[in-house]
Amino acid sequence: MTDSVSWNSQPLDEWAQKYAAGSFVDLDGRRTHFVDKGSGSPILLVHGFFYDSFTWHNNIDVLSTAFRVLVPDLWGFGYSSREPLDYGYPLYAEQLLLLLDELDIEQISLVGHSMGGGTAITFSVHHPERVQKLLLVDAAGMPN
């Protein structure tokens, strides 16, 4: 092994304590890190593969002047739980549903980028009553 540092070489809890910009909530026994800023109609921003909530850092302040902006780290990314799971759109859609239920949010506008777009599509198909608007940004999960 070389002296390089791998992505998971540091204790997640220690790094989260030092650097996480948001809050934490336990959802079905797994920790979810999320940013919650602003007030008004809720909008949820979902990051893509190999990214985390920081993807949206340039958008959060601007959007939060008119909306309540929620930006989670999907499980396996950022400061959220990283235990072995069956990662994929169904799991992430479940995580979004659990987060909305935990925060007592009935309906949202949903924005998904890349893999987050596929997650947003899956969530919208299974829970259309929870989605006011859907915006896809270079979404995965769409046919070519």
Side-chain angles (χ1 to χ4, degrees), residues 14-137:
E14 183 179 319
W15 276 60
Q17 228 176 345
K18 289 181 185 178
Y19 304 111
S23 303
F24 293 90
V25 64
D26 181 277
L27 303 174
D28 200 26
R30 299 178 197 104
R31 182 174 67 177
T32 293
H33 168 256
F34 67 101
V35 174
D36 184 352
K37 187 169 184 179
S39 61
S41 182
I43 185 169
L44 195 148
L45 309 176
V46 188
H47 66 79
F49 189 67
F50 280 134
Y51 295 101
D52 57 30
S53 57
F54 188 75
T55 297
W56 301 103
H57 77 278
N58 287 324
N59 307 100
I60 295 169
D61 287 341
V62 173
L63 289 172
S64 69
T65 63
F67 301 97
R68 179 179 181 188
V69 181
L70 301 164
V71 191
D73 287 338
L74 297 175
W75 289 322
F77 299 96
Y79 298 109
S80 290
S81 292
R82 294 184 184 163
E83 68 267 5
L85 295 169
D86 188 15
Y87 293 112
Y89 299 141
L91 178 71
Y92 297 137
E94 175 190 347
Q95 182 185 11
L96 298 183
L97 180 63
L98 291 168
L99 179 62
L100 294 177
D101 288 348
E102 177 71 23
L103 299 175
D104 199 28
I105 297 173
E106 288 300 315
Q107 199 173 48
I108 54 158
S109 292
L110 188 55
V111 180
H113 169 249
S114 187
M115 179 192 76
T119 300
I121 292 167
T122 301
F123 182 88
S124 297
V125 166
H126 290 96
H127 308 285
E129 73 286 354
R130 303 295 292 266
V131 180
Q132 182 179 34
K133 296 177 184 173
L134 175 63
L135 176 66
L136 303 174
V137 182

